[in-house]
Amino acid sequence: MCGIVGYVGPKDAAPILMEGLRRLEYRGYDSAGIALARANRLKLHKSQGKVQALEAILPERPKGHLGIAHTRWATHGEPSDINAHPHADGAGRVAVVHNGIIENAPELKSELEASGVVFTSETDTEVLSHLIARSDGERLEDAVRSALQRIQGAYGIAVIAGDQPDRIIVARNGSPVILGVGDREMFIASDAAALVRHTQQVVYLNDGEVATVTADGFETSTLDAAPVHKTPVEAPAALDDYDKGGHEHFMVKEIAEQPDTVRRMLQGRLDLRFNSAHFGGLNLTARELIDIERIKILGCGSAYIAGCNGAYVIEQLARIPASAEAASEFRYRNPVIEPNTLYIAVSQSGETLDTLMAVEEIKRKGGRVLGIINVVGSTIARACDGGLYLHAGPEIAVVSTKTFTSTLVGFALLGLYFGRIRDLAPTAGETLIRALQALPDQIQEILDDTSAIETAARFCARARDMYFIGRGLGFPVAQEGALKLKEVSYIHAEAYPASELKHGPLALVTPDTPVVAVLPDDALLDKNLSSVAEVHARKGPVIALTHPGVRCEAADHHVIVPKSVPELDPILIGVALQIMAYHCALILERDIDQPRNLAKSVTVE
Ligand code: F6R
């Protein structure tokens, strides 16, 4: 979603800001803009479309040693030059870039209009520019503080003023802002991706904090101007993490990283002595866990689907009733929060607003929430009582791949741990540990020969509609396969439990609708083969995702993946489905890393 970059120092700001915007492109956006301060005046340039379009309208050598820039993902008002950030007040004295949503913007706008202010855009952000410009605070930080006192909603903002061209004021409430500390220069961004080229020393703002950033350093305080002392810390990622590393797309790079990311997920978490798992940050004792009667998992999109898989695995291994629900639905239905239920929030970014609101609703009602999160120190991670990080490194492609896989590994580890506290036998724990340890090499085996997957992808790329079927633990991974395919290839794909096929969806099966069948070699194989036979009888082409030794006569294409234990089979099948979606999108020449209409972290309702 939206991204913020800022610079103050001895260099020309524009090239640094433009490079920062390009680093934020992966988040998804539809317009971009930049504001530069020079000779006590501000100069704004804004354009609908990609950062390239903004570049095309910039003067040849835009001057100024201080500036802010933004990529916008439209919420209030269509994507357009005028609605792009930065937004200035009427006199062009103050410029603001903003991530988030100002909820009371309509009331504030009416009030400002009644006193003669003329609005030029349809955005909620413009309210802030006018409020800051009209505030009687002398220093820019005082004006920003006083304007923010009137704002309800979520924000990460950066503000500059033509008459105070030595400072950027930033503030955070629910939307990340990071300061990058350089040598007599300072950077700001909403995402470390835009900072790591310049510095590894970063400072995270907390909600309710404001910072005055000058070339010589920074001062942080609360909204009430009480000083807050902060020291820089090492950035969590290096520059290489944000490069394609020789791959054509970030998606395929991130798929290829999975042997390593799974190894990192397991590192230090396997307890070989007790055939269990251990975690540094669950903040739950075994005694507390014994009292847990139910587990509820929440997330959105792929994170929710990973949760569906997790619920199944935990219930199987630990015999604790477990279920998953889309956080976006949960938060609006006044959920009953039970004292002996353990809630688990799943989020790659740790910033998804619906998931965050679900966590806050649970906590407000006295519940306990663990997080399975990738981005260290993110808002959801901080809101949870404990949990585990994926340590998968930055995920740049909009669609999640490596973090989906690591989340499934995380659930297997939790299932092992909860199970061993309850009734899971040590021998069963040992079998699972061996299977977990084998995963990285098995994923590598899939990556080393993708020819059958590519053949299947060439077949599928011709389809307009597709169906994915699976049963039991095979169903969530079928859902994920369908989601991945539709996101990156734009082929219409739906997932159904194989058991439900004959209760309706079979009506849609024709020779033009390929059906991807998840057919693990497990206790349900015969039932699954019957479902596939039903598809075949209606002349539906079948792509079977299965294991060595399984004969599926009805299949037109076979993709054979290495066998694990049933609880982990979806992980390996999932990797094959990611590769298939990627190749379909490649054949169809889609915008693979930034699919249309999608954003990497969805920080709005
Ligand atoms: C799918 C995808 C999205 C995210 C969802 C939640 O490929 O990337 O469905 O899974 O927006 O995002 P996080 O995990 O950041 O909360």
Side-chain angles (χ1 to χ4, degrees):
M1 297 222 123
C2 304
I4 293 175
V5 201
Y7 174 78
V8 50
K11 299 181 187 136
D12 274 341
I16 293 169
L17 296 176
M18 294 304 290
E19 198 265 344
L21 289 185
R22 276 189 289 273
R23 299 253 167 213
L24 297 182
E25 284 193 291
Y26 80 95
R27 300 177 65 87
Y29 69 104
D30 42 49
S31 55
I34 182 170
L36 296 165
R38 186 164 181 241
N40 283 2
R41 297 192 50 186
L42 295 184
K43 199 91 186 113
L44 270 61
H45 309 274
K46 315 200 283 185
S47 171
Q48 186 188 340
K50 297 279 179 190
V51 171
Q52 242 178 336
L54 174 64
E55 208 152 41
I57 61 157
L58 286 185
E60 205 170 317
R61 300 202 63 189
K63 292 280 175 217
H65 301 291
L66 170 102
I68 52 177
H70 192 257
T71 46
R72 170 176 187 253
W73 192 85
T75 56
H76 290 55
E78 59 174 8
S80 68
D81 294 356
I82 287 178
N83 288 336
H85 298 206
H87 287 286
D89 63 306
R93 188 178 70 81
V94 167
V96 178
V97 292
H98 164 223
N99 291 354
I101 287 185
I102 298 172
E103 282 158 13
N104 59 339
E107 299 95 84
L108 292 170
K109 184 172 178 184
S110 309
E111 183 190 311
L112 286 161
E113 279 176 332
S115 63
V117 171
V118 178
F119 278 76
T120 52
S121 77
E122 300 159 273
T123 65
D124 51 339
T125 304
E126 197 183 332
V127 162
L128 202 46
S129 328
H130 294 297
L131 281 177
I132 294 169
R134 290 164 74 90
S135 154
D136 42 13
E138 208 168 280
R139 295 178 314 161
L140 184 57
E141 47 271 53
D142 299 328
V144 170
R145 269 198 208 95
S146 109
L148 289 178
Q149 306 281 4
R150 306 219 41 213
I151 296 291
Q152 284 160 20
Y155 55 79
I157 58 163
V159 186
I160 57 174
D163 52 8
Q164 299 181 44
D166 63 336
R167 63 195 55 210
I168 307 174
I169 311 304
V170 294
R172 171 191 165 130
N173 184 37
S175 194
V177 181
I178 311 171
L179 317 183
V181 183
D183 183 11
R184 289 166 200 268
E185 59 184 353
M186 287 287 295
F187 307 83
I188 60 129
S190 53
D191 182 324
L195 297 178
V196 288
R197 180 162 183 261
H198 306 287
T199 176
Q200 283 289 311
Q201 293 296 300
V202 297
V203 177
Y204 294 94
L205 284 198
N206 288 326
D207 283 349
E209 288 177 353
V210 178
T212 302
V213 181
T214 61
D216 295 327
F218 64 95
E219 273 174 20
T220 38
S221 59
T222 64
L223 269 186
D224 301 323
V228 177
H229 181 66
K230 284 185 177 280
T231 40
V233 294
E234 192 77 10
L239 187 56
D240 290 357
D241 293 328
Y242 297 98
D243 284 331
K244 288 187 196 141
H247 294 273
E248 198 176 341
H249 296 98
F250 280 109
M251 182 181 178
V252 74
K253 176 195 177 206
E254 286 157 8
I255 290 173
E257 280 172 8
Q258 294 180 104
D260 283 342
T261 50
V262 168
R263 265 185 213 107
R264 281 213 292 277
M265 191 65 200
L266 295 175
Q267 207 164 23
R269 287 177 170 151
L270 294 175
D271 177 352
L272 302 177
R273 188 157 168 237
F274 290 104
N275 292 323
S276 180
H278 40 215
F279 306 93
L282 284 196
N283 302 333
L284 262 177
T285 63
R287 191 169 287 277
E288 285 170 317
L289 266 170
I290 283 283
D291 292 335
I292 298 294
E293 288 170 4
R294 204 178 299 281
I295 289 179
K296 179 96 192 174
I297 304 166
L298 299 158
C300 296
S302 289
Y304 158 63
I305 295 172
C308 295
N309 171 290
Y312 201 105
V313 166
I314 290 179
E315 193 162 305
Q316 289 302 308
L317 294 172
R319 308 306 299 157
I320 306 172
S323 62
E325 185 175 344
S328 46
E329 288 294 314
F330 175 88
R331 60 173 286 211
Y332 285 114
R333 64 169 179 78
N334 193 19
V336 175
I337 303 302
E338 298 163 309
N340 288 343
T341 295
L342 176 65
Y343 296 86
I344 303 179
V346 181
S347 178
Q348 183 286 126
S349 61
E351 302 295 342
T352 300
L353 189 69
D354 284 321
T355 310
L356 175 65
M357 295 315 284
V359 169
E360 288 184 351
E361 176 74 0
I362 296 163
K363 296 205 66 185
R364 196 180 61 75
K365 290 178 172 172
R368 183 197 285 266
V369 197
L370 297 184
I372 302 187
I373 314 276
N374 190 38
V375 178
V376 175
S378 55
T379 311
I380 299 175
R382 284 193 268 187
C384 288
D385 297 293
L388 48 154
Y389 281 119
L390 303 179
H391 297 305
E395 193 174 61
I396 308 294
V398 163
V399 296
S400 60
T401 52
K402 60 178 178 175
T403 57
F404 177 80
T405 300
S406 291
T407 305
L408 264 45
V409 174
F411 277 120
L413 287 167
L414 284 178
L416 172 65
Y417 177 59
F418 296 169
R420 290 289 296 119
I421 286 173
R422 294 172 174 234
D423 293 330
L424 190 74
T427 47
E430 191 186 352
T431 306
L432 189 66
I433 287 180
R434 286 198 202 291
L436 283 164
Q437 287 170 322
L439 279 178
D441 287 345
Q442 289 179 309
I443 295 175
Q444 192 59 54
E445 207 181 305
I446 299 174
L447 295 170
D448 286 345
D449 180 7
T450 58
S451 52
I453 304 177
E454 289 180 45
T455 306
R458 276 194 293 278
F459 179 75
C460 296
R462 295 199 295 260
R464 212 191 63 172
D465 305 294
M466 282 182 57
Y467 298 96
F468 284 65
I469 57 170
R471 202 180 285 258
L473 248 184
F475 179 55
V477 72
Q479 283 180 293
E480 178 63 6
L483 181 65
K484 236 38 349 148
L485 185 78
K486 68 183 126 187
E487 284 178 308
V488 291
S489 74
Y490 312 152
I491 295 172
H492 169 232
E494 298 301 331
Y496 287 99
S499 53
E500 282 288 299
L501 200 61
K502 55 182 171 298
H503 297 294
L506 203 53
L508 296 171
V509 170
T510 70
D512 296 326
T513 52
V515 175
V516 176
V518 174
L519 296 176
D521 187 4
D522 61 15
L524 297 172
L525 178 63
D526 287 344
K527 302 256 173 254
N528 276 326
L529 288 174
S530 308
S531 304
V532 170
E534 287 163 14
V535 172
H536 185 63
R538 273 84 189 170
K539 301 198 167 34
V542 174
I543 294 101
L545 269 283
T546 189
H547 287 135
V550 172
R551 284 215 54 75
C552 177
E553 307 290 351
D556 299 81
H557 295 276
H558 285 86
V559 173
I560 311 290
V561 299
K563 176 84 184 91
S564 181
V565 295
E567 292 82 3
L568 306 183
D569 280 334
I571 294 176
L572 298 166
I573 293 171
V575 171
L577 289 174
Q578 292 167 355
I579 299 169
M580 197 172 94
Y582 174 74
H583 281 283
C584 280
L586 201 61
I587 293 164
L588 295 168
E589 298 183 1
R590 304 301 193 211
D591 192 353
I592 293 181
D593 287 335
Q594 292 165 42
R596 68 181 178 210
N597 305 337
L598 299 182
K600 184 62 185 163
S601 80
V602 184
T603 50
V604 296
E605 311 245 338

